[in-house]
């Protein structure tokens, strides 16, 4: 028989419910959201806090005997807001923040207006597109075309933010609008590596991080949330492919010719510059808090560089594995520094850099002309990132356990 929720319990339940849906909207996986909210609930004096997170919503109860409350996930949370949410949960667990202040700060952060307009954030697609061209096919014609095409992507993304019908067909529309002129330019002989250029420009819209998060959720036992994420990402990729295929047909190309992509030689320093530019673009696109800019740039550039190097010299799976572990563990180390950023604030941008599909269909191995088939190569890199993500998550779980143990000792004392 369920116990009725007392008046003292209702504010806590609503606080945890709101926190959970905001964290889900900020890009945390179901497992990570549950861990954060359960740890926060325990810190507030509810050791039996129950949380069930899905891809689109979350259930929260303060104990198994209380009826759960449900809330749909917030659709989009900026990184600057996520930074505040995670800072609040960390301070609650550390015992340095009282509940009433936490509630007020959560409301303020959730309602804060963005630091720059939406169309300015979409201009982040330009350094991302140019940066990835430096990574995939560094040549002046490609850079010029990438700059123009990325500006078109910024315009389409801004339009999609205002018109729902455009948002629903954005993958097909963006893929065709970018691919067709690039293929025509390649026909004239002015542009080499058309597919790499197309991928570099479209990459900021790819749901690659959703794929890896979905895999991590499935492996962690969150099959419902993980399967939903994977299905959504697969449909998005199919829509992008449909747009590219329509452009291929319209330009009288064949997919075989498009995918015949020998890797261009490029100094590692140029690739590193590309990763750096892509990171800056991501920070603008995701509203990363610039108070933590140095940490974000350092970790994302290091993770991207190690993935490219190991993927080029050894194997894509090793590059993805090491880069994913570096992203997670490095973010946790930075979080322990004095006034360090919450770990997700540095982890998520680095994660988006290394997750295959976020910034390349091609993966690091194809940068060096790796002889394996593109599908096997992409899957091996994907598995490497997924395993690295899980190992990094295990380290984070240990950190939660230590924090909770300290909280228990404080209460007993």
């Amino acid at each position: 028989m369920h116990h009725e929720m007392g008046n003292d319990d209702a504010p806590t339940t609503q606080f945890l419910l709101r926190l959970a849906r905001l964290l889900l909207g900020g890009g945390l996986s179901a497992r990570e959201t549950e861990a954060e909210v359960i740890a926060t609930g325990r810190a507030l004096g509810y050791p039996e806090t129950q949380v069930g997170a899905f891809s689109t919503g979350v259930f929260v109860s303060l104990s198994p005997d209380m009826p759960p409350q449900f809330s749909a996930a917030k659709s989009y949370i900026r990184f600057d807001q996520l930074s505040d949410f995670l800072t609040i949960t960390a301070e609650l667990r550390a015992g340095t923040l009282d509940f009433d202040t936490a509630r007020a700060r959560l409301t303020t952060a959730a309602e804060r207006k963005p630091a720059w307009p939406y169309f300015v954030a979409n201009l982040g697609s330009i350094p991302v597109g140019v940066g990835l061209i430096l990574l995939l096919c560094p040549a002046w014609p490609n850079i010029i075309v990438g700059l123009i095409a990325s500006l078109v992507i910024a315009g389409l993304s801004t339009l999609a933010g205002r018109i729902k019908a455009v948002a629903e067909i954005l993958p097909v529309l963006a893929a065709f609008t970018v691919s067709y002129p690039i293929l025509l330019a390649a026909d004239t002989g002015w542009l080499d590596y058309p597919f790499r250029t197309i991928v570099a420009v479209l990459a900021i819209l790819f749901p690659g991080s959703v794929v890896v998060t979905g895999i991590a959720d499935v492996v962690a036992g969150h099959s419902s949330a993980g399967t939903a994420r994977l299905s959504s990402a697969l449909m998005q990729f199919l829509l992008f492919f449909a747009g590219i295929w329509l452009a291929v047909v319209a330009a009288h190309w064949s997919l075989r010719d498009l995918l015949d992509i020998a890797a261009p030689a490029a100094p590692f320093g140029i690739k590193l510059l590309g990763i750096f530019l892509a990171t800056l673009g991501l920070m603008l696109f995701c509203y990363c808090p610039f108070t933590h800019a140095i940490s974000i740039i350092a970790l994302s550039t290091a993770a991207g560089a190690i993935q490219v190097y190991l993927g080029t010299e050894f194997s894509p799976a090793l590059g993805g594995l090491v880069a994913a572990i570096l992203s997670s563990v490095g973010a946790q180390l930075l979080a322990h520094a004095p006034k360090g950023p919450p770990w997700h604030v540095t982890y998520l941008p680095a994660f988006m850099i290394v997750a295959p599909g976020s910034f390349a269909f091609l993966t690091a191995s194809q940068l060096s002309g790796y002889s394996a088939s593109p599908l096997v190569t992409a899957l091996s890199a994907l598995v490497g990132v997924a395993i690295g993500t899980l190992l990094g998550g295990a380290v984070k779980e240990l950190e939660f356990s230590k924090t909770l143990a300290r909280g228990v000792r404080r209460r007993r004392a």
Side-chain angles (χ1 to χ4, degrees):
M1 183 175 182
H2 291 303
H3 296 299
E4 293 298 325
M5 186 183 303
N7 291 333
D8 293 339
D9 298 330
T12 305
T13 301
Q14 292 305 311
F15 172 80
L16 295 178
L17 196 61
R18 188 177 195 185
L19 175 65
R21 73 186 183 94
L22 292 171
L23 293 178
L24 272 179
L28 272 66
S29 69
R31 181 186 68 169
E32 292 163 341
T33 299
E34 289 179 2
E36 285 281 351
V37 177
I38 288 172
T40 303
R42 291 177 179 175
L44 291 173
Y46 294 91
E48 295 185 299
T49 297
Q50 308 284 300
V51 182
F54 302 89
S55 60
T56 57
V58 62
F59 289 91
V60 172
S61 175
L62 298 183
S63 79
D65 295 328
M66 289 185 179
Q69 303 290 309
F70 174 79
S71 178
K74 185 77 173 176
S75 58
Y76 175 71
I77 294 297
R78 305 187 308 270
F79 272 30
D80 60 328
Q81 294 173 300
L82 181 63
S83 175
D84 288 342
F85 302 153
L86 293 171
T87 299
I88 291 168
T89 63
E91 291 180 7
L92 281 171
R93 291 197 303 272
T96 60
L97 184 66
D98 65 86
F99 177 62
D100 290 335
T101 305
R103 278 202 304 169
R105 280 177 52 181
L106 187 70
T107 298
T108 300
E111 296 175 353
R112 182 184 302 115
K113 295 187 180 300
W116 49 88
Y118 182 64
F119 77 90
V120 174
N122 285 323
L123 291 177
S125 62
I126 296 174
V128 169
V130 172
L132 293 179
I133 284 175
L134 291 177
L135 188 65
L136 296 173
C137 48
W140 280 113
N142 301 76
I143 293 171
I144 294 169
V145 168
L147 184 67
I148 297 170
S150 295
L151 190 58
V152 171
I153 292 295
L156 289 174
S157 298
T158 302
L159 196 63
R162 297 196 168 105
I163 304 174
K164 186 177 180 181
V166 175
E168 291 175 350
I169 63 169
L170 181 61
V172 177
L173 181 62
F176 180 83
T177 305
V178 162
S179 301
Y180 184 63
I182 288 176
L183 293 177
L184 293 183
D187 261 338
T188 67
W190 187 73
L191 180 76
D192 293 324
Y193 312 113
F195 184 62
R196 288 172 175 268
T197 307
I198 291 168
V199 166
V201 172
L202 293 177
I204 196 167
L205 301 178
F206 289 163
S209 61
V210 178
V211 173
V212 180
T213 303
I215 291 175
D217 268 336
V218 169
V219 175
H222 291 274
S223 57
S224 177
T227 303
R229 291 179 193 275
L230 290 172
S231 300
S232 174
L234 176 61
M235 183 55 64
Q236 291 292 305
F237 277 125
L238 288 176
L239 291 174
F240 279 112
F241 177 78
I244 294 173
W245 180 78
L246 288 173
V248 167
V249 172
H252 304 291
W253 274 58
S254 72
L255 285 175
R256 182 180 296 274
D257 293 336
L258 183 65
L259 295 174
D260 184 17
I261 44 172
F268 185 74
I270 295 294
K271 296 177 182 179
L272 196 62
L273 176 61
I275 294 169
F276 176 74
L277 283 177
T279 301
L280 292 182
L282 257 185
M283 292 177 65
L284 184 63
F285 188 75
C286 298
Y287 293 92
C288 288
F290 280 92
T291 51
H292 303 311
I294 294 176
S295 298
I296 293 171
I297 292 170
L299 185 61
S300 297
T301 304
I306 199 72
Q307 186 188 33
V308 170
Y309 176 76
L310 294 178
T312 301
E313 298 297 326
F314 298 97
S315 78
L318 180 64
L321 173 66
V322 175
I325 293 175
L326 175 63
S327 299
S328 181
V329 176
Q332 292 169 50
L333 291 175
L334 286 169
H336 286 293
K339 297 185 179 179
W343 80 285
H344 265 87
V345 173
T346 48
Y347 168 67
L348 287 177
F351 180 66
M352 292 172 74
I353 290 286
V354 305
S358 292
F359 276 174
F361 279 151
L362 309 178
T363 77
S365 64
Q366 288 173 286
L367 298 175
S368 62
Y370 192 70
S371 60
S373 74
L375 180 59
V376 172
T377 301
L379 286 176
S380 64
L382 192 68
V383 170
V385 172
I387 294 173
T389 301
L390 290 173
L391 291 175
V395 175
K396 183 61 181 173
E397 292 291 340
L398 288 175
E399 180 60 29
F400 270 128
S401 299
K402 291 178 182 177
T403 302
L404 294 177
R406 287 197 296 268
V408 170
R409 284 196 295 270
R410 278 199 307 269
R411 284 194 293 272
R412 287 176 177 170

